Amino acid sequence: TLALDDHTLAKGPFEKRFLPVVLTSCAWAALYYVFLFGQSACTFYTFMKKRGEKSEDPQGKGVSLYAVKYKAGGTKLNLCANRTVGNYLEQSPPFLLALWLCAYLIDVGTAARAGW
């Protein structure tokens, strides 16, 4: 059986005990924003590229940012960026839950290493 002295809660202040896992969670958030900025950059890149092309629109308006971002006006680059953000968000809840449960129930160091 596990004695109270061996449990994670009995080892000191929260900030010191869980700092490696907090840093891993901050790195997760930073990577999320990198993916979001990449998604936006891909959309604007495709929009600028398509805006310079000859328009097939009879009114001569060309492609809109809305069409590039939300409709079939995008490219494989846009699809890749969109799926990267979507898959990252899809896998985030189980990752963060497992990270923090491992830190709380098993060991902070093990959780931080697994998270990296």
Side-chain angles (χ1 to χ4, degrees):
T1 61
L2 190 64
L4 184 59
D5 293 339
D6 295 337
H7 195 268
T8 306
L9 288 176
K11 291 184 181 176
F14 176 84
E15 297 84 11
K16 289 185 180 182
R17 283 179 294 131
F18 289 101
L19 182 62
V21 180
V22 169
L23 293 176
T24 304
S25 298
C26 289
W28 166 87
L31 184 60
Y32 175 62
Y33 278 99
V34 167
F35 288 153
L36 285 178
F37 289 132
Q39 181 185 32
S40 295
C42 289
T43 300
F44 283 115
Y45 172 77
T46 303
F47 174 65
M48 296 303 262
K49 192 174 178 182
K50 287 191 176 240
R51 193 169 74 166
E53 294 175 358
K54 187 171 181 171
S55 174
E56 296 177 10
D57 185 14
Q59 297 176 349
K61 290 184 179 179
V63 69
S64 69
L65 182 61
Y66 179 82
V68 170
K69 190 169 184 178
Y70 298 111
K71 294 189 176 183
T75 62
K76 287 184 179 182
L77 181 67
N78 295 92
L79 179 63
C80 180
N82 290 338
R83 288 312 317 140
T84 299
V85 171
N87 290 343
Y88 193 76
L89 273 178
E90 181 182 6
Q91 298 301 320
S92 291
F95 167 73
L96 291 172
L97 182 65
L99 177 74
W100 281 94
L101 282 176
C102 181
Y104 179 73
L105 297 173
I106 300 171
D107 180 49
V108 173
T110 302
R113 280 189 300 279
W116 280 108

